[in-house]
Amino acid sequence: MEVHVTGGTGFVGSHLCNKLAENGHDVVAVSRNPDESPVGIDGSVERRERDVTEAGTLDFSGADVVVHLVSLSPLVKPRGTTHHDVTAEGTRNVVEACENDGVDRLVHMSALGADTDGETAYIRAKGEAEDAVSVSSLDATVFRPSVVFGDGGEFVSFTKLLTTPYVTGLPGGGDTRFQPIYVGDLVEAVAETVENDEHTGETYEIGGPERLTLAEMSRSVYEAEGRSLVVVPVPMPLARVGLALADPLPFVPMGSDQYASLKFDNVVEGTNGIGVFVPVDELTTFDGWLGFEDGQ
Ligand SMILES: NC(=O)c1ccc[n+]([C@@H]2O[C@H](COP(=O)([O-])OP(=O)(O)OC[C@H]3O[C@@H](n4cnc5c(N)ncnc54)[C@H](OP(=O)(O)O)[C@@H]3O)[C@@H](O)[C@H]2O)c1
């Protein structure tokens, strides 16, 4: 099959392109800086320089399936662009290009909690993007993962940005819960969806095998380096004021949206869609990936 992956040079995209290439597909990775990637990309993957915000420049002709991954990180404040422009308008452009180029199938990467009325610009843009996909004529499958971890991911560096070793303050004591999913497990599910159209029309909420608080994950990150971490709660109202004050400061990577995203758990409420693709007891755990425990 010929598969075009927007954001194919990013964290999830690089792992996915490698998996699809390994499975024998012709893969095109689409992004603005095609030579940059947090992990190595197989030499057989064609890299194509495109910006999804530039309607009319996208070209998916020849593709059997497009996987749309482009988005901005919710963990840092956008610079020089907005979640709306990249995620909402960008998805509209991708959908339109698929329709114009005769591509029937789209796999769309959303996020848990996507909602046009959501609390953060990231979540609202993800909601708009899902709407653009659902009103299209495409045979689409939507994935809504919790936080994704693995080589080249930003979650570990994010926890370090948020904390200091040994003793740290975290908003609300870091009790926001996540359900981290290993990138290799997520990519397994996306590749299976590319290869098998029986998943058309489905929306899969995806989480890993455990629900962990931000404090627990932060402790694991430091323990993996032989360091301890004691978490001291920062009252949520204080964190809100502090991060709101940081909003206009470009050199501070976090702001009120990042505070808002810590107010809500990021876990699968209904059926965990990953079980359709990978047995849940075979999923890689966060601690297993970090190197302790007998994780997969
Ligand atoms: N990682 C997670 O924990 C997580 C959790 C839930 C959902 N997701 C979703 O999974 C998807 C992939 O996430 P990720 O962590 O792999 O993101 P990432 O590492 O930030 O990768 C983003 C990719 O999009 C490209 N890109 C950004 N702006 C673009 C534009 N205007 N036009 C074309 N390409 C553009 C980037 O390359 P250039 O900068 O070179 O263009 C890069 O290849 C996203 O939709 C994200 O919301 C991720």
Side-chain angles (χ1 to χ4, degrees), residues 47-206:
R47 303 183 191 206
R48 196 171 286 177
E49 186 179 331
R50 293 285 188 281
D51 186 331
V52 298
T53 65
E54 293 176 8
T57 64
L58 299 171
D59 171 19
F60 299 126
S61 47
D64 297 294
V65 183
V66 168
V67 182
H68 179 43
L69 300 178
V70 170
S71 200
L72 297 177
S73 170
L75 303 180
V76 289
K77 289 186 289 193
R79 285 191 185 167
T81 186
T82 63
H83 288 288
H84 175 80
D85 285 352
V86 175
T87 302
E89 293 302 329
T91 300
R92 284 191 189 101
N93 295 338
V94 167
V95 163
E96 193 179 286
C98 287
E99 290 173 334
N100 290 341
D101 292 337
V103 180
D104 297 328
R105 293 184 54 214
L106 178 75
V107 180
H108 174 66
M109 190 60 70
S110 185
L112 271 188
D115 181 354
T116 52
D117 294 323
E119 288 267 341
T120 67
Y122 171 76
I123 283 300
R124 287 191 293 275
K126 283 294 196 190
E128 283 190 73
E130 282 197 18
D131 284 353
V133 171
S134 69
V135 299
S136 77
S137 62
L138 302 173
D139 296 333
T141 307
V142 176
F143 283 87
R144 294 172 143 201
S146 182
V147 66
V148 187
F149 65 90
D151 292 347
E154 64 178 359
F155 190 69
V156 167
S157 45
F158 170 71
T159 59
K160 287 187 168 172
L161 189 72
L162 211 57
T163 56
T164 50
Y166 306 113
V167 179
T168 199
L170 277 177
D175 62 0
T176 313
R177 291 182 312 156
F178 295 85
Q179 200 167 344
I181 178 83
Y182 178 57
V183 66
D185 294 324
L186 176 63
V187 154
E188 186 76 34
V190 176
E192 156 71 14
T193 301
V194 164
E195 291 163 355
N196 186 342
D197 65 8
E198 76 177 29
H199 303 288
T200 293
E202 301 288 347
T203 294
Y204 294 112
E205 300 216 325
I206 300 279

Side-chain angles (χ1 to χ4, degrees), residues 163 166-170 172-174 214-216 218-219 229-234:
T163 56
Y166 306 113
V167 179
T168 199
L170 277 177
L214 181 61
E216 287 169 332
S218 302
R219 260 185 232 115
L229 188 71
V230 174
V231 173
V232 180
V234 175

